[in-house]
Amino acid sequence: MASTSPLCPADRLEHGSDLVVRPIPEIRLCLVYRPRPARIVTLNASSWLLFEACTGASVSEIEARVVQLADAHDSRPASSRAGEVRKGLQELVDLSIVQRRQPTPTTEGATS
């Protein structure tokens, strides 16, 4: 099930609830099993980093964190790296292993 709209900076991302995640740090890979529809996704080190950052943080927060981590190792402009981060996050959403967090219902007008 592919995403129907591109990510925006305010979207909050989290792991799918029914995933089985098996890190294999010895070879810098992570396997993610998604049962519905059944699929095993292999994440390289970069995708794994993005996947691990999807714990309810916003797209802009994840971009800032990853760009900051890469500053010491990458001479490209931060805007170029941020674009790559956004593209990688979109791919994780399109693979249905990361999802947009559903807003929690507010209790406006409720009395106790």
Side-chain angles (χ1 to χ4, degrees), residues 6-63:
L7 294 173
C8 71
D11 284 339
R12 296 201 168 272
L13 303 176
E14 62 187 2
H15 300 166
S17 60
D18 56 353
L19 303 177
V20 177
V21 180
R22 293 291 181 254
I24 310 173
E26 302 83 25
I27 57 174
R28 299 178 55 155
L29 292 176
C30 182
L31 299 177
V32 180
Y33 171 67
R34 181 193 73 198
R36 287 178 294 278
R39 181 169 185 182
I40 296 175
V41 178
T42 303
L43 303 176
N44 63 21
S46 298
S47 297
W48 186 5
L49 174 68
L50 295 178
F51 178 75
E52 289 298 321
C54 295
T55 57
S58 70
V59 170
S60 60
E61 292 167 340
I62 295 168
E63 285 175 356

Side-chain angles (χ1 to χ4, degrees), residues 35-97:
R36 287 178 294 278
R39 181 169 185 182
I40 296 175
V41 178
T42 303
L43 303 176
N44 63 21
S46 298
S47 297
W48 186 5
L49 174 68
L50 295 178
F51 178 75
E52 289 298 321
C54 295
T55 57
S58 70
V59 170
S60 60
E61 292 167 340
I62 295 168
E63 285 175 356
R65 194 174 321 147
V66 172
V67 166
Q68 182 181 15
L69 284 172
D71 274 343
H73 306 289
D74 196 334
S75 61
R76 292 175 299 145
S79 61
S80 171
R81 290 182 299 217
E84 289 179 7
V85 169
R86 176 106 28 124
K87 181 180 175 188
L89 291 172
Q90 184 68 56
E91 289 175 6
L92 295 175
V93 170
D94 291 345
L95 288 166
S96 299
I97 61 173

